[in-house]
Amino acid sequence: MSLWEDKVRRVVPYTPGEQPADTGIIKLNTNENPYPPAPGVLAARDAMDVERLRLYPDPAAGELVKALAGRYDVAPEQVFVGVGSDDVLSVAFLTFFNSDRPVIFPDITYSFYPVWANVYRIPYKMAPLDADFRIRPEDYYEENGGVIFPNPNAPTSCYEPLDVVEDILQHNPDVIVIVDEAYIDFGGTSALKLLERYENLLVVQTFSKSRSMAGLRIGYAIGAPKLIKAMNDGKYSLNSDTMNMPSQLMGVCAVRDEAYFKQCVNRIIATRERTKAQLLALGFVFPEPMANFIFARHPRFQGRELFEALRAAHIYVRHFDQPRIGDYLRITIGTDEQMDVLMDFLKNYINSH
Amino acid sequence: MSLWEDKVRRVVPYTPGEQPADTGIIKLNTNENPYPPAPGVLAARDAMDVERLRLYPDPAAGELVKALAGRYDVAPEQVFVGVGSDDVLSVAFLTFFNSDRPVIFPDITYSFYPVWANVYRIPYKMAPLDADFRIRPEDYYEENGGVIFPNPNAPTSCYEPLDVVEDILQHNPDVIVIVDEAYIDFGGTSALKLLERYENLLVVQTFSKSRSMAGLRIGYAIGAPKLIKAMNDGKYSLNSDTMNMPSQLMGVCAVRDEAYFKQCVNRIIATRERTKAQLLALGFVFPEPMANFIFARHPRFQGRELFEALRAAHIYVRHFDQPRIGDYLRITIGTDEQMDVLMDFLKNYINSH
């Protein structure tokens, strides 16, 4: 081994869900939206002046920031945008979690949190979810270097009502509390309501789920102007031009079509409720799902067995080979038709094994 | 001040060149290409299936990697792609510069290098360019934690021939040497030729200059498969899906049109040679320019004075208020017509002051 190899940073990379090229599969493994983006996005594509690609994009993504500020009724100075909510969260970790005390997040949660903490050398502590996969607010009362949790949580789909979020905020006035709301639009109430009272609250959302635009990579954070300024300073020090022109143009059009957004979200919720009833009838158990996925196990089958049987039938769901959740499948809500194929397979499989 | 404010990371952010919304100005301040992207990029826009934006992009950007590997005659395992070369360089700093010894780079160079080093807590040392703004290879002989320099350098436009690059590589077998070739296509010879002999060499290039696609944010690195794997592991641990679908699709089309690429670059070189002669005739002095910009000063005028006079006339160039280079202007090569407007103004200004 050469000497330079000693100094190469070794990391255990995050393993994303598979993105198979085969379009014949039913893809319920990465929580994508089964419906296309708002119709205005196609119009934005056609209106995009390709000649202008020769110029740098607006580093502040001003039009997109303005559109989001309008949609969420906050000032543009309260909105930070990034290349997917992963980019937003990564900048937030780097900007706000600078204490010697550990940052606290749940033990079962978005698997990028410990990865970022390790990369940025941030001490952290994982608070165990209770037996029902719920957050115990008292775990977040001790002195810490910051708090982050998704609401609804992933991959559990569990939602904590606002009074739990507020309880955690009340006990943490001296650190930044990040609520990662990638899935909030599927039935929960956003912590944005609490912003007026807690200037140490940062709410992070994404275009990848409810807005059907995972392929564009747009995420955003909303918080007090002081927090957003600190994040922008941090972002500009890493890479001043991250969001490209197509994302800025198409993102604005997606934000502006509120009617389509609501219709899309409501369809997914309706399919989720229908799927819940069918899974229950087959004997599955799961925490009450409040996202665009259901986290379910069947008492008679191991998670890996069902995952592999489904995969062989070209139905992709997500399975996590981890303590406490190894028997669960995370099943994204697709169209009614896709869920029918899934349920037919599960019904046959369960009845014949 | 609240307690949480103590722990917010303070950084001095990079100051990008202005991106004025006013299209009436002559914009020679951020080294953009005056010509549009390859015609195939427009076709790629029209062929882009907007419905697929609901899906995550290919995290490996496989098609773009393949296109670049083909263009540069290397294996796909030797190509890393990122959201602009800033993203690529930032990942490279994080991945390769993990030593307690200082990384060495020139004192006058791309201003992001010290910024990334500070953010990632990497010790560094700046080696002074000589009086002609040239790199002194012997400054890079001492023990260090890595080496990075642009070739041609920015903002000086000075190019070091390959034997200088190779000399630095020969003296640094135990660390990673990064050659940042954002401007190499405008007349220099790429260090890619040295890859076969130096597995610790990483060459970084971009679509923002010679390929007219600053608005898309695409950069790439080429090196030994081991280096590229380490960078990908690092990238996936920060953000697994950074390059969006439009960039991947349009980037491939830009790489494939070699004839347009050469034509575009040759036009810019021709305009540069014409502009050089005109600037010399007006009494400007400058190091031999090998990029798509000229770094010039006039013995009778202060840099700031000329910068401000040009700005008042709606001609934007770049001025750096820094030791040794405060009297220089960095003038991007635009179209012949744009340069004519610039030269007319300078001629009048110089003759009347």
Side-chain angles (χ1 to χ4, degrees), chain A residues 92-122:
Chain A
F93 266 65
L94 195 58
T95 306
F96 299 124
F97 294 162
N98 280 304
S99 168
D100 296 328
R101 299 198 182 113
V103 168
I104 311 183
F105 46 80
D107 65 336
I108 299 171
T109 194
Y110 188 39
S111 47
F112 254 123
Y113 298 165
V115 176
W116 288 317
N118 286 327
V119 169
Y120 297 135
R121 300 172 202 188
I122 299 165

mmCIF file of all heavy atoms in Angstrom, chain A residues 92-122:
data_model
loop_
_atom_site.group_PDB
_atom_site.id
_atom_site.type_symbol
_atom_site.label_atom_id
_atom_site.label_comp_id
_atom_site.label_asym_id
_atom_site.label_seq_id
_atom_site.Cartn_x
_atom_site.Cartn_y
_atom_site.Cartn_z
ATOM 1 N N ALA A 92 -26.913 21.957 7.604
ATOM 2 C CA ALA A 92 -27.408 22.267 8.951
ATOM 3 C C ALA A 92 -26.551 21.582 10.019
ATOM 4 O O ALA A 92 -26.211 22.188 11.041
ATOM 5 C CB ALA A 92 -28.876 21.857 9.090
ATOM 6 N N PHE A 93 -26.192 20.321 9.800
ATOM 7 C CA PHE A 93 -25.299 19.626 10.747
ATOM 8 C C PHE A 93 -24.011 20.419 10.907
ATOM 9 O O PHE A 93 -23.537 20.680 12.010
ATOM 10 C CB PHE A 93 -24.964 18.212 10.233
ATOM 11 C CG PHE A 93 -25.866 17.113 10.748
ATOM 12 C CD1 PHE A 93 -27.210 17.083 10.421
ATOM 13 C CD2 PHE A 93 -25.369 16.096 11.556
ATOM 14 C CE1 PHE A 93 -28.038 16.062 10.891
ATOM 15 C CE2 PHE A 93 -26.192 15.075 12.036
ATOM 16 C CZ PHE A 93 -27.521 15.062 11.698
ATOM 17 N N LEU A 94 -23.430 20.785 9.780
ATOM 18 C CA LEU A 94 -22.137 21.478 9.801
ATOM 19 C C LEU A 94 -22.262 22.854 10.453
ATOM 20 O O LEU A 94 -21.355 23.305 11.158
ATOM 21 C CB LEU A 94 -21.644 21.614 8.352
ATOM 22 C CG LEU A 94 -20.192 21.981 8.111
ATOM 23 C CD1 LEU A 94 -19.239 20.979 8.740
ATOM 24 C CD2 LEU A 94 -19.926 22.064 6.600
ATOM 25 N N THR A 95 -23.381 23.502 10.243
ATOM 26 C CA THR A 95 -23.546 24.874 10.734
ATOM 27 C C THR A 95 -23.910 24.920 12.215
ATOM 28 O O THR A 95 -23.396 25.761 12.961
ATOM 29 C CB THR A 95 -24.659 25.595 9.929
ATOM 30 O OG1 THR A 95 -24.347 25.504 8.539
ATOM 31 C CG2 THR A 95 -24.780 27.064 10.333
ATOM 32 N N PHE A 96 -24.774 24.023 12.659
ATOM 33 C CA PHE A 96 -25.365 24.183 13.990
ATOM 34 C C PHE A 96 -24.844 23.214 15.044
ATOM 35 O O PHE A 96 -25.010 23.468 16.233
ATOM 36 C CB PHE A 96 -26.886 24.052 13.902
ATOM 37 C CG PHE A 96 -27.524 25.088 13.021
ATOM 38 C CD1 PHE A 96 -28.331 24.721 11.952
ATOM 39 C CD2 PHE A 96 -27.295 26.440 13.251
ATOM 40 C CE1 PHE A 96 -28.913 25.681 11.139
ATOM 41 C CE2 PHE A 96 -27.873 27.410 12.441
ATOM 42 C CZ PHE A 96 -28.683 27.025 11.381
ATOM 43 N N PHE A 97 -24.274 22.103 14.621
ATOM 44 C CA PHE A 97 -23.895 21.098 15.611
ATOM 45 C C PHE A 97 -22.391 21.178 15.892
ATOM 46 O O PHE A 97 -21.615 20.314 15.497
ATOM 47 C CB PHE A 97 -24.318 19.705 15.137
ATOM 48 C CG PHE A 97 -25.827 19.525 15.052
ATOM 49 C CD1 PHE A 97 -26.383 18.500 14.303
ATOM 50 C CD2 PHE A 97 -26.705 20.382 15.727
ATOM 51 C CE1 PHE A 97 -27.767 18.319 14.231
ATOM 52 C CE2 PHE A 97 -28.093 20.216 15.652
ATOM 53 C CZ PHE A 97 -28.619 19.181 14.902
ATOM 54 N N ASN A 98 -21.998 22.261 16.576
ATOM 55 C CA ASN A 98 -20.582 22.520 16.847
ATOM 56 C C ASN A 98 -20.211 22.401 18.311
ATOM 57 O O ASN A 98 -19.222 22.967 18.755
ATOM 58 C CB ASN A 98 -20.225 23.935 16.392
ATOM 59 C CG ASN A 98 -19.995 23.984 14.905
ATOM 60 O OD1 ASN A 98 -19.169 23.240 14.407
ATOM 61 N ND2 ASN A 98 -20.722 24.828 14.229
ATOM 62 N N SER A 99 -21.025 21.726 19.061
ATOM 63 C CA SER A 99 -20.788 21.639 20.497
ATOM 64 C C SER A 99 -19.944 20.405 20.822
ATOM 65 O O SER A 99 -19.826 19.486 20.014
ATOM 66 C CB SER A 99 -22.148 21.528 21.191
ATOM 67 O OG SER A 99 -22.004 21.163 22.529
ATOM 68 N N ASP A 100 -19.365 20.377 22.026
ATOM 69 C CA ASP A 100 -18.696 19.157 22.487
ATOM 70 C C ASP A 100 -19.709 18.167 23.051
ATOM 71 O O ASP A 100 -19.400 17.002 23.279
ATOM 72 C CB ASP A 100 -17.672 19.489 23.583
ATOM 73 C CG ASP A 100 -16.558 20.360 23.034
ATOM 74 O OD1 ASP A 100 -16.233 20.212 21.840
ATOM 75 O OD2 ASP A 100 -16.030 21.193 23.789
ATOM 76 N N ARG A 101 -20.909 18.645 23.313
ATOM 77 C CA ARG A 101 -21.959 17.751 23.822
ATOM 78 C C ARG A 101 -22.588 17.006 22.654
ATOM 79 O O ARG A 101 -22.618 17.491 21.531
ATOM 80 C CB ARG A 101 -23.024 18.578 24.541
ATOM 81 C CG ARG A 101 -22.450 19.319 25.730
ATOM 82 C CD ARG A 101 -23.541 19.760 26.686
ATOM 83 N NE ARG A 101 -22.928 20.498 27.781
ATOM 84 C CZ ARG A 101 -23.108 21.804 27.993
ATOM 85 N NH1 ARG A 101 -23.917 22.509 27.218
ATOM 86 N NH2 ARG A 101 -22.502 22.409 28.996
ATOM 87 N N PRO A 102 -23.131 15.833 22.922
ATOM 88 C CA PRO A 102 -23.672 15.040 21.807
ATOM 89 C C PRO A 102 -24.997 15.585 21.266
ATOM 90 O O PRO A 102 -25.838 16.074 22.026
ATOM 91 C CB PRO A 102 -23.892 13.659 22.441
ATOM 92 C CG PRO A 102 -24.057 13.918 23.897
ATOM 93 C CD PRO A 102 -23.199 15.114 24.217
ATOM 94 N N VAL A 103 -25.128 15.501 19.973
ATOM 95 C CA VAL A 103 -26.412 15.736 19.332
ATOM 96 C C VAL A 103 -27.265 14.493 19.584
ATOM 97 O O VAL A 103 -26.756 13.375 19.586
ATOM 98 C CB VAL A 103 -26.198 15.958 17.819
ATOM 99 C CG1 VAL A 103 -27.507 15.908 17.054
ATOM 100 C CG2 VAL A 103 -25.467 17.280 17.590
ATOM 101 N N ILE A 104 -28.563 14.698 19.837
ATOM 102 C CA ILE A 104 -29.438 13.544 20.102
ATOM 103 C C ILE A 104 -30.406 13.323 18.947
ATOM 104 O O ILE A 104 -30.998 14.284 18.439
ATOM 105 C CB ILE A 104 -30.258 13.736 21.400
ATOM 106 C CG1 ILE A 104 -29.348 14.169 22.565
ATOM 107 C CG2 ILE A 104 -31.003 12.439 21.768
ATOM 108 C CD1 ILE A 104 -30.092 14.306 23.891
ATOM 109 N N PHE A 105 -30.511 12.073 18.522
ATOM 110 C CA PHE A 105 -31.566 11.703 17.567
ATOM 111 C C PHE A 105 -32.009 10.275 17.861
ATOM 112 O O PHE A 105 -31.330 9.553 18.620
ATOM 113 C CB PHE A 105 -31.113 11.887 16.112
ATOM 114 C CG PHE A 105 -29.748 11.351 15.764
ATOM 115 C CD1 PHE A 105 -29.545 9.997 15.506
ATOM 116 C CD2 PHE A 105 -28.662 12.215 15.653
ATOM 117 C CE1 PHE A 105 -28.287 9.518 15.154
ATOM 118 C CE2 PHE A 105 -27.394 11.731 15.302
ATOM 119 C CZ PHE A 105 -27.212 10.386 15.050
ATOM 120 N N PRO A 106 -33.143 9.834 17.312
ATOM 121 C CA PRO A 106 -33.664 8.503 17.641
ATOM 122 C C PRO A 106 -32.730 7.389 17.161
ATOM 123 O O PRO A 106 -31.944 7.575 16.229
ATOM 124 C CB PRO A 106 -34.994 8.437 16.873
ATOM 125 C CG PRO A 106 -35.349 9.853 16.568
ATOM 126 C CD PRO A 106 -34.057 10.580 16.418
ATOM 127 N N ASP A 107 -32.836 6.222 17.824
ATOM 128 C CA ASP A 107 -31.981 5.099 17.405
ATOM 129 C C ASP A 107 -32.452 4.493 16.087
ATOM 130 O O ASP A 107 -31.645 3.971 15.318
ATOM 131 C CB ASP A 107 -31.896 4.020 18.505
ATOM 132 C CG ASP A 107 -33.227 3.338 18.791
ATOM 133 O OD1 ASP A 107 -34.293 3.942 18.507
ATOM 134 O OD2 ASP A 107 -33.219 2.206 19.303
ATOM 135 N N ILE A 108 -33.748 4.584 15.845
ATOM 136 C CA ILE A 108 -34.267 4.110 14.560
ATOM 137 C C ILE A 108 -34.741 5.352 13.826
ATOM 138 O O ILE A 108 -35.720 5.990 14.218
ATOM 139 C CB ILE A 108 -35.432 3.120 14.751
ATOM 140 C CG1 ILE A 108 -34.932 1.895 15.524
ATOM 141 C CG2 ILE A 108 -36.028 2.712 13.405
ATOM 142 C CD1 ILE A 108 -36.037 0.954 15.954
ATOM 143 N N THR A 109 -34.026 5.713 12.767
ATOM 144 C CA THR A 109 -34.329 6.972 12.104
ATOM 145 C C THR A 109 -33.629 7.011 10.758
ATOM 146 O O THR A 109 -33.099 6.001 10.278
ATOM 147 C CB THR A 109 -33.926 8.169 12.996
ATOM 148 O OG1 THR A 109 -34.525 9.354 12.475
ATOM 149 C CG2 THR A 109 -32.409 8.350 13.063
ATOM 150 N N TYR A 110 -33.610 8.171 10.133
ATOM 151 C CA TYR A 110 -32.972 8.323 8.832
ATOM 152 C C TYR A 110 -31.490 7.989 8.976
ATOM 153 O O TYR A 110 -30.786 8.583 9.797
ATOM 154 C CB TYR A 110 -33.161 9.755 8.352
ATOM 155 C CG TYR A 110 -32.720 9.997 6.922
ATOM 156 C CD1 TYR A 110 -32.947 9.052 5.922
ATOM 157 C CD2 TYR A 110 -32.107 11.185 6.565
ATOM 158 C CE1 TYR A 110 -32.557 9.288 4.621
ATOM 159 C CE2 TYR A 110 -31.714 11.431 5.261
ATOM 160 C CZ TYR A 110 -31.940 10.472 4.293
ATOM 161 O OH TYR A 110 -31.544 10.722 2.999
ATOM 162 N N SER A 111 -31.017 7.060 8.156
ATOM 163 C CA SER A 111 -29.682 6.515 8.410
ATOM 164 C C SER A 111 -28.547 7.469 8.056
ATOM 165 O O SER A 111 -27.385 7.189 8.359
ATOM 166 C CB SER A 111 -29.511 5.193 7.665
ATOM 167 O OG SER A 111 -29.943 5.321 6.332
ATOM 168 N N PHE A 112 -28.863 8.600 7.433
ATOM 169 C CA PHE A 112 -27.816 9.575 7.152
ATOM 170 C C PHE A 112 -27.356 10.350 8.387
ATOM 171 O O PHE A 112 -26.257 10.906 8.393
ATOM 172 C CB PHE A 112 -28.284 10.591 6.105
ATOM 173 C CG PHE A 112 -27.664 10.366 4.756
ATOM 174 C CD1 PHE A 112 -28.454 10.173 3.639
ATOM 175 C CD2 PHE A 112 -26.284 10.350 4.593
ATOM 176 C CE1 PHE A 112 -27.889 9.964 2.389
ATOM 177 C CE2 PHE A 112 -25.716 10.156 3.349
ATOM 178 C CZ PHE A 112 -26.514 9.958 2.246
ATOM 179 N N TYR A 113 -28.161 10.442 9.443
ATOM 180 C CA TYR A 113 -27.767 11.278 10.595
ATOM 181 C C TYR A 113 -26.430 10.845 11.200
ATOM 182 O O TYR A 113 -25.526 11.664 11.348
ATOM 183 C CB TYR A 113 -28.850 11.292 11.678
ATOM 184 C CG TYR A 113 -30.192 11.867 11.279
ATOM 185 C CD1 TYR A 113 -31.322 11.641 12.076
ATOM 186 C CD2 TYR A 113 -30.372 12.645 10.139
ATOM 187 C CE1 TYR A 113 -32.563 12.162 11.745
ATOM 188 C CE2 TYR A 113 -31.611 13.159 9.799
ATOM 189 C CZ TYR A 113 -32.712 12.919 10.612
ATOM 190 O OH TYR A 113 -33.932 13.428 10.291
ATOM 191 N N PRO A 114 -26.284 9.552 11.549
ATOM 192 C CA PRO A 114 -24.981 9.168 12.120
ATOM 193 C C PRO A 114 -23.839 9.301 11.105
ATOM 194 O O PRO A 114 -22.694 9.564 11.486
ATOM 195 C CB PRO A 114 -25.177 7.702 12.536
ATOM 196 C CG PRO A 114 -26.420 7.236 11.852
ATOM 197 C CD PRO A 114 -27.259 8.439 11.586
ATOM 198 N N VAL A 115 -24.167 9.137 9.819
ATOM 199 C CA VAL A 115 -23.133 9.240 8.785
ATOM 200 C C VAL A 115 -22.586 10.673 8.735
ATOM 201 O O VAL A 115 -21.378 10.902 8.753
ATOM 202 C CB VAL A 115 -23.697 8.802 7.414
ATOM 203 C CG1 VAL A 115 -22.663 9.005 6.322
ATOM 204 C CG2 VAL A 115 -24.143 7.337 7.449
ATOM 205 N N TRP A 116 -23.476 11.667 8.703
ATOM 206 C CA TRP A 116 -23.007 13.060 8.699
ATOM 207 C C TRP A 116 -22.250 13.383 9.982
ATOM 208 O O TRP A 116 -21.221 14.056 9.959
ATOM 209 C CB TRP A 116 -24.172 14.045 8.546
ATOM 210 C CG TRP A 116 -24.771 14.048 7.184
ATOM 211 C CD1 TRP A 116 -24.106 14.019 5.988
ATOM 212 C CD2 TRP A 116 -26.166 14.074 6.855
ATOM 213 N NE1 TRP A 116 -25.000 14.030 4.948
ATOM 214 C CE2 TRP A 116 -26.271 14.069 5.434
ATOM 215 C CE3 TRP A 116 -27.351 14.101 7.602
ATOM 216 C CZ2 TRP A 116 -27.497 14.091 4.776
ATOM 217 C CZ3 TRP A 116 -28.562 14.137 6.940
ATOM 218 C CH2 TRP A 116 -28.632 14.125 5.557
ATOM 219 N N ALA A 117 -22.795 12.918 11.103
ATOM 220 C CA ALA A 117 -22.125 13.197 12.384
ATOM 221 C C ALA A 117 -20.704 12.653 12.361
ATOM 222 O O ALA A 117 -19.764 13.334 12.785
ATOM 223 C CB ALA A 117 -22.931 12.597 13.538
ATOM 224 N N ASN A 118 -20.537 11.449 11.809
ATOM 225 C CA ASN A 118 -19.192 10.881 11.738
ATOM 226 C C ASN A 118 -18.284 11.694 10.814
ATOM 227 O O ASN A 118 -17.146 12.004 11.160
ATOM 228 C CB ASN A 118 -19.251 9.423 11.261
ATOM 229 C CG ASN A 118 -19.763 8.495 12.355
ATOM 230 O OD1 ASN A 118 -19.514 8.720 13.534
ATOM 231 N ND2 ASN A 118 -20.502 7.470 11.968
ATOM 232 N N VAL A 119 -18.794 12.038 9.639
ATOM 233 C CA VAL A 119 -17.974 12.787 8.680
ATOM 234 C C VAL A 119 -17.537 14.128 9.281
ATOM 235 O O VAL A 119 -16.389 14.535 9.137
ATOM 236 C CB VAL A 119 -18.751 13.027 7.366
ATOM 237 C CG1 VAL A 119 -18.006 14.024 6.469
ATOM 238 C CG2 VAL A 119 -18.945 11.715 6.615
ATOM 239 N N TYR A 120 -18.442 14.789 9.962
ATOM 240 C CA TYR A 120 -18.117 16.108 10.509
ATOM 241 C C TYR A 120 -17.575 16.038 11.942
ATOM 242 O O TYR A 120 -17.431 17.069 12.600
ATOM 243 C CB TYR A 120 -19.347 17.022 10.456
ATOM 244 C CG TYR A 120 -19.826 17.306 9.054
ATOM 245 C CD1 TYR A 120 -21.180 17.249 8.732
ATOM 246 C CD2 TYR A 120 -18.926 17.630 8.029
ATOM 247 C CE1 TYR A 120 -21.634 17.510 7.440
ATOM 248 C CE2 TYR A 120 -19.366 17.887 6.744
ATOM 249 C CZ TYR A 120 -20.721 17.831 6.456
ATOM 250 O OH TYR A 120 -21.167 18.080 5.182
ATOM 251 N N ARG A 121 -17.330 14.833 12.416
ATOM 252 C CA ARG A 121 -16.781 14.632 13.763
ATOM 253 C C ARG A 121 -17.646 15.277 14.845
ATOM 254 O O ARG A 121 -17.157 15.971 15.740
ATOM 255 C CB ARG A 121 -15.338 15.167 13.827
ATOM 256 C CG ARG A 121 -14.459 14.437 12.838
ATOM 257 C CD ARG A 121 -13.076 15.038 12.714
ATOM 258 N NE ARG A 121 -12.493 14.643 11.429
ATOM 259 C CZ ARG A 121 -11.243 14.856 11.059
ATOM 260 N NH1 ARG A 121 -10.415 15.460 11.879
ATOM 261 N NH2 ARG A 121 -10.812 14.476 9.885
ATOM 262 N N ILE A 122 -18.940 15.103 14.722
ATOM 263 C CA ILE A 122 -19.899 15.636 15.692
ATOM 264 C C ILE A 122 -20.252 14.508 16.662
ATOM 265 O O ILE A 122 -20.707 13.446 16.230
ATOM 266 C CB ILE A 122 -21.189 16.113 14.975
ATOM 267 C CG1 ILE A 122 -20.871 17.242 13.980
ATOM 268 C CG2 ILE A 122 -22.261 16.515 15.973
ATOM 269 C CD1 ILE A 122 -21.990 17.522 12.987
#
